[in-house]
Amino acid sequence: MEKSVISQFFNGRSVFVTGSTGLMGKVLVWKLLYSCPGIKNIFVLIRSKRGKSALLRYQEIIKAPLFDSIRKTKKSLLSKLQVVCGDVGLDGLGITLEMKERLISEVSIVFHGAATLNLDASLTEAINLNTSGTLRMLELCSDMKNLEAFVHFSTAFCHVDLDTLDEEVHKSTFDAYNIMRLPSWLNENSIKMVTPHLISPHPNTYTFSKRLAEDVVSDFYPQLPVVIARPSIVTPALKEPLPGWVDNLNGPTGILAAGGKGVLRSILCNSEYTAEAVPVDFAINAVIVIAWKTAITKQKTNVIPVYNLTQHNLNPITWEAVMAKGREETMKNPFELMLWYPTGSLTSNRFLHTYKVICYHWIPAYLIDGILFLLGQKRFMIRVQQKISDGLRVLQYFTLRNWDFTNDRLLALRDSLSEVDRKTFSIDFEKMDIDVYFRNCILGARQYCLKEDPASIPKARKTLKVLYVLDLVVIYLKYALVAWLLYKVYEQFSAVV
């Protein structure tokens, strides 16, 4: 029986992963353990956060549902995980000298995914974590004795000024190192004042700082075996580790959940544009294959290799189809505690969107919180709508533009794999069953993010029927009110005539 060449490559090798507490990081660690069981050690960089130590956060991660398959059948593999207490935002990564020496002597493959994904982060924070943090990692890797591949996780949206993003680095007009030195000669208030000018045409500090990080990574090529991987919007898992698995409500997942709950009724979006997204397991399969390819390639190219982890018209889906399929699956598998019947819609008309947001988002939110206040209950709807408003504000930049990301290098790499490796580390966009995928996305958001028991679906369907009737009543009353107003206007006009 043919064996996986990529899996065998990792036998006896040690890997260093940053960003292991994020969506992609968790799936990466799971996939390396599950599909590359011969791996020696996986060092995971984890920082203390909100009073929780790095070790406690690690223990919480391996108790998550995605590690069920390993805990039940391959529990001994978890001993290969080695927690590295540190932070990419600190000089020297905040790791001990003893651990640094161990990393330098043992690690041969590095996956750098640590970053702040907060699109509203200050420029200082974004640069420190996303750009300077990448430089700190590269400086550590420069001392590694057996480094074979350094895979940097970038984003397909880091070059927003380009209509078509090819698989190559486009240098920023700003010097990354000068930007990293800003806090040394400008105070925070001054930095905030110049931020809009500095990051233009970028819509936020995230894409700007990730673009600068690419410049930094490319400066280390070819001295180090560095490579850049650019995923588009990362969405729930297609198959692995669990169909529909996801750990956050960012991006399209949050939109579908908020729409399904009835609290999101309007999205500013061009419905005909393509939704550029990649299932998290496809993205992780790709970066593992990229690491292997980088390590075995002895003849280096003149420029740093870049891979766009995008489907690029292989199995395209419009935002309109995303909403339609999301609504269809939500009707079949509704959420608990819906506040209204799910009838959200897309519009590219800003005036109409603003009208809907006022009428269907904010007015109901204030009414509900007002009633809760009078009843002496905890208010929450205004806070929920504020989060939705903030999320839509940063997302609409990407939903009002059409993106074109080439992926020739990625597809050539995929086509070069053996049948076993192509199956084990699948990135076959063309074979995705979109209907099944959306069903699993809804069920995944329901179960893994909102902690709603699948057994509650029948009860939720009954609630949905009640909300449907109420929605019809409201629609009837609305049209009746309009008709009455028109009749009154007609009466007044007739009296004047």
Side-chain angles (χ1 to χ4, degrees), residues 204-447:
N204 52 64
T205 57
Y206 171 72
T207 59
F208 177 70
S209 60
K210 294 296 280 186
R211 179 171 189 171
L212 294 180
E214 285 198 359
D215 291 351
V216 173
V217 174
S218 65
D219 287 343
F220 280 77
Y221 186 84
Q223 294 82 3
L224 294 182
V226 294
V227 61
I228 295 172
R230 294 184 184 136
S232 53
I233 299 173
V234 179
T235 53
L238 177 67
K239 293 182 179 180
E240 296 180 323
L242 296 164
W245 188 82
V246 66
D247 69 347
N248 65 69
L249 292 175
N250 296 332
T253 306
I255 290 176
L256 294 178
K261 288 281 190 179
V263 295
L264 176 61
R265 310 294 294 278
S266 179
I267 302 171
L268 190 60
C269 172
N270 190 315
S271 60
E272 298 178 356
Y273 286 166
T274 301
E276 278 292 349
V278 55
V280 63
D281 44 344
F282 276 15
I284 292 307
N285 289 339
V287 297
I288 293 175
V289 174
I290 289 168
W292 163 77
K293 182 65 174 180
T294 303
I296 67 169
T297 302
K298 304 305 177 185
Q299 187 67 36
K300 303 299 180 183
T301 56
N302 293 329
V303 294
I304 181 173
V306 179
Y307 294 84
N308 289 341
L309 311 187
T310 63
Q311 57 87 9
H312 187 56
N313 297 326
L314 293 175
N315 197 354
I317 183 170
T318 63
W319 284 110
E320 182 177 22
V322 168
M323 292 302 295
K325 291 184 179 296
R327 186 183 297 112
E328 179 183 345
E329 293 303 328
T330 299
M331 297 300 181
K332 295 177 182 177
N333 303 287
F335 293 93
E336 297 176 10
L337 301 174
M338 292 172 285
L339 294 177
W340 201 251
Y341 189 72
T343 54
S345 61
L346 306 176
T347 178
S348 57
N349 186 305
R350 290 181 183 273
F351 176 80
L352 181 59
H353 171 68
T354 301
Y355 166 78
K356 288 184 175 181
V357 166
I358 293 172
C359 293
Y360 301 131
H361 290 188
W362 288 112
I363 291 178
Y366 276 99
L367 286 174
I368 292 172
D369 272 7
I371 294 171
L372 291 174
F373 174 74
L374 294 174
L375 295 175
Q377 301 296 315
K378 186 178 180 180
R379 291 164 288 173
F380 66 95
M381 272 306 300
I382 293 176
R383 185 173 69 255
V384 168
Q385 283 299 341
Q386 187 59 58
K387 287 185 177 180
I388 291 174
S389 179
D390 291 342
L392 291 178
R393 176 174 51 81
V394 296
L395 188 64
Q396 69 187 32
Y397 181 89
F398 304 100
T399 58
L400 289 172
R401 289 166 175 77
N402 220 16
W403 305 91
D404 186 20
F405 306 123
T406 63
N407 60 356
D408 296 338
R409 184 178 279 114
L410 176 68
L411 296 184
L413 177 57
R414 183 186 72 173
D415 294 342
S416 71
L417 300 179
S418 68
E419 185 177 344
V420 171
D421 279 327
R422 183 156 178 170
K423 182 178 180 181
T424 305
F425 301 95
S426 175
I427 43 178
D428 290 321
F429 294 98
E430 304 93 324
K431 296 180 180 180
M432 285 180 61
D433 186 321
I434 298 297
D435 293 326
V436 172
Y437 180 61
F438 271 87
R439 183 178 310 123
N440 289 332
C441 284
I442 294 298
L443 293 173
R446 203 180 184 281
Q447 181 176 354

Side-chain angles (χ1 to χ4, degrees), residues 179-194:
I179 299 296
M180 285 187 280
R181 286 191 289 267
L182 271 182
S184 65
W185 57 276
L186 270 184
N187 60 40
E188 188 59 27
N189 286 335
S190 298
I191 292 176
K192 287 181 179 179
M193 289 178 62
V194 300

Side-chain angles (χ1 to χ4, degrees), residues 19-38:
S20 60
T21 59
L23 173 63
M24 292 186 68
K26 291 174 184 174
V27 178
L28 172 60
V29 170
W30 177 88
K31 185 64 176 179
L32 288 172
L33 287 175
Y34 189 83
S35 296
C36 308

Side-chain angles (χ1 to χ4, degrees), residues 34-145:
Y34 189 83
S35 296
C36 308
I39 201 167
K40 183 179 179 182
N41 284 309
I42 302 177
F43 295 93
V44 290
L45 185 72
I46 302 178
R47 60 175 174 163
S48 300
K49 187 176 181 181
R50 295 172 184 168
K52 293 182 180 179
S53 67
L55 185 59
L56 180 59
R57 294 184 70 199
Y58 153 77
Q59 291 172 341
E60 290 179 347
I61 289 171
I62 62 174
K63 290 178 182 177
L66 82 158
F67 283 100
D68 283 350
S69 56
I70 292 178
R71 283 199 312 274
K72 293 176 181 177
T73 61
K74 305 178 180 181
K75 191 172 182 179
S76 60
L77 292 176
L78 294 175
S79 63
K80 297 175 182 286
L81 293 178
Q82 306 292 318
V83 178
V84 180
C85 301
D87 187 343
V88 295
L90 301 176
D91 290 337
L93 302 176
I95 60 178
T96 64
L97 183 60
E98 180 184 0
M99 179 56 74
K100 180 180 179 180
E101 291 299 325
R102 189 178 177 190
L103 293 172
I104 288 173
S105 62
E106 289 189 34
V107 170
S108 55
I109 307 293
V110 175
F111 294 97
H112 176 51
T116 175
L117 303 181
N118 180 10
L119 302 186
D120 278 334
S122 68
L123 182 60
T124 300
E125 179 186 4
I127 292 296
N128 182 47
L129 294 176
N130 298 351
T131 311
S132 299
T134 299
L135 177 59
R136 295 180 186 110
M137 277 296 300
L138 288 164
E139 289 172 343
L140 172 65
C141 293
S142 296
D143 295 328
M144 289 183 177
K145 301 174 182 178

